[in-house]
Amino acid sequence: MSALALSVVLSLVSAVAYAGGAIVQEQVAASSAAHYAPLRRPAWWAAVALNGLGGVLHVVALAFGPLSLVQPLGALTIVVALPMAALFVGRRAGATAWRGAIMATVGLAGLLSLVGSSEAQSLGTAQRVGAAAVTAGAVVALMVAGRAAHRHPAVRSMLLATASGIAFGMSSVFTKTVAVDWADGVSATDLPSLAVIAVLATAGMLLSQAAYRGAGLAAPLATLTVVNPVVAAAVGITMFGETFRYGTTGTVLALGCGVVAAGGLILLTTERIAREAAGGGDEETPAAVPAAASPSSDRPAPPSSDHSVPASSRGAAPAVTPVAAPRGSADAPTPVPDALTGRVVLPSPATEPGEPPLVAASVFGGLFVPLPVVDRHRVRIRS
């Protein structure tokens, strides 16, 4: 197998590894309460391993093939992830998501293929400090904006995915800087750059995990896949002296590819927002319970009596207006009909042993309070 064919195979396997890691991350985010680092979930560590494998394979592919071929093939991650998600976890993407993913991939591949190569060069100390400071400020600002947009999961996800892409892209920039420095020998002066690489890579991983929470797979992954190499290419053009191929024509084509990639991301975001709105409208609301419903409305009317109910209203249920239960009762008792008179009474439990319960109810507008019952069998004690 030639070196070119080997680089193509490694790039495709790298895209599959990245896609598998993204799918696992999205599944963990959907079933875990942790936003950034579900450290107790073995599946999350499997996703970390898959992302690490994808990164190693990408670096090896760059060693065997040209940058203009390997970088566009890395953009196939989102296209590979959609059928993998449908096959392994049953998450099917709609037509709009497919159009957005293909647009983002084609635009990114065209943009990366137009970036020319230049002589390897490193960054000075002031440039490294400035790049690290600007990156930290941008990532923190996007995190704050994502926190402010917590009511809109799709917007929040895009902001966090953009921050993750920036962190990963700048991590690649510092990695290239350290690799150029180590071409002449390993030096201890690169320890701060190695620390920046570790911090940015960790931040990118945690932010990508948070971006998948409540936003599905396609939109966060497409954003991360596009922003990461675009940031690296922008830094390469502005700080490493790289240029677009074919002069002015290549620059115009690159801008067009950037517009296509951005259109794909916008399409994915609006598709997700529309799905959220449709899902919110389908939620069932419980039926309202009438406030005037009485707990005893389904009970039969008490039998009328000639001695207690006038003839004009004979056969009709007497109106009952409960009176607050005496003696500090917490729960209002249920009105019950009296067995002898047929009147509806409101009993109150006795507060002392042996004491008969008090009954109070308003019948036909009047207050009915029965007389206390005297126990005839009470033992009298003579002194």
Side-chain angles (χ1 to χ4, degrees):
M1 182 181 293
S2 63
L4 184 62
L6 181 59
S7 66
V8 172
V9 172
L10 291 175
S11 298
L12 294 178
V13 177
S14 173
V16 172
Y18 277 131
I23 293 172
V24 175
Q25 279 187 276
E26 193 272 335
Q27 292 295 305
V28 172
S31 60
S32 176
H35 293 272
Y36 292 93
L39 301 178
R40 297 183 178 181
R41 298 290 299 274
W44 185 75
W45 290 106
V48 173
L50 287 172
N51 283 298
L53 176 62
V56 171
L57 292 175
H58 183 73
V59 172
V60 176
L62 286 174
F64 286 96
L67 180 66
S68 59
L69 175 65
V70 175
Q71 285 290 87
L73 288 177
L76 293 176
T77 301
I78 179 61
V79 178
V80 175
L82 293 182
M84 286 180 62
L87 178 63
F88 292 107
V89 298
R91 186 180 293 276
R92 301 182 181 274
T96 304
W98 272 105
R99 286 196 297 269
I102 293 175
M103 286 178 60
T105 303
V106 170
L108 177 60
L111 179 63
L112 295 177
S113 63
L114 292 171
V115 177
S117 59
S118 61
E119 296 181 359
Q121 56 180 328
S122 180
L123 297 177
T125 303
Q127 290 177 319
R128 298 185 191 191
V129 173
V134 172
T135 302
V139 170
V140 171
L142 289 171
M143 290 178 62
V144 173
R147 185 177 181 83
H150 65 279
R151 295 184 178 180
H152 305 282
V155 177
R156 170 187 170 275
S157 170
M158 296 294 286
L159 292 172
L160 294 180
T162 302
S164 176
I166 292 175
F168 278 130
M170 293 305 298
S171 176
S172 300
V173 171
F174 277 89
T175 301
K176 180 178 180 180
T177 300
V178 173
V180 171
D181 293 342
W182 284 3
D184 298 330
V186 179
S187 175
T189 57
D190 289 322
L191 288 178
S193 298
L194 292 175
V196 172
I197 293 172
V199 171
L200 291 177
T202 304
M205 184 65 189
L206 300 181
L207 288 170
S208 65
Q209 179 64 49
Y212 289 114
R213 185 176 181 83
L217 175 68
L221 180 58
T223 304
L224 177 60
T225 305
V226 170
V227 173
N228 180 358
V230 166
V231 169
V235 174
I237 291 173
T238 57
M239 303 182 71
F240 288 105
E242 298 178 353
T243 58
F244 289 112
R245 301 173 186 267
Y246 314 118
T248 305
T249 303
T251 303
V252 174
L253 291 175
L255 292 176
C257 291
V259 172
V260 172
L265 296 181
I266 294 174
L267 196 61
L268 285 168
T269 306
T270 54
E271 185 267 346
R272 186 66 193 182
I273 293 176
R275 184 179 300 180
E276 290 175 1
D282 295 339
E283 294 179 357
E284 296 182 359
T285 55
V289 179
S294 172
S296 60
S297 58
D298 57 345
R299 298 189 180 186
S304 59
S305 174
D306 292 339
H307 300 285
S308 57
V309 182
S312 59
S313 59
R314 187 175 300 172
V320 179
T321 305
V323 181
R327 303 186 184 270
S329 176
D331 298 328
T334 303
V336 294
D338 185 82
L340 298 178
T341 63
R343 297 182 179 182
V344 180
V345 296
L346 187 64
S348 174
T351 57
E352 299 179 2
E355 182 181 356
L358 295 179
V359 180
S362 178
V363 182
F364 306 116
L367 181 63
F368 171 72
V369 180
L371 296 176
V373 180
V374 179
D375 189 0
R376 298 179 180 180
H377 301 282
R378 185 173 57 186
V379 181
R380 296 181 179 181
I381 302 175
R382 298 181 180 179
S383 56

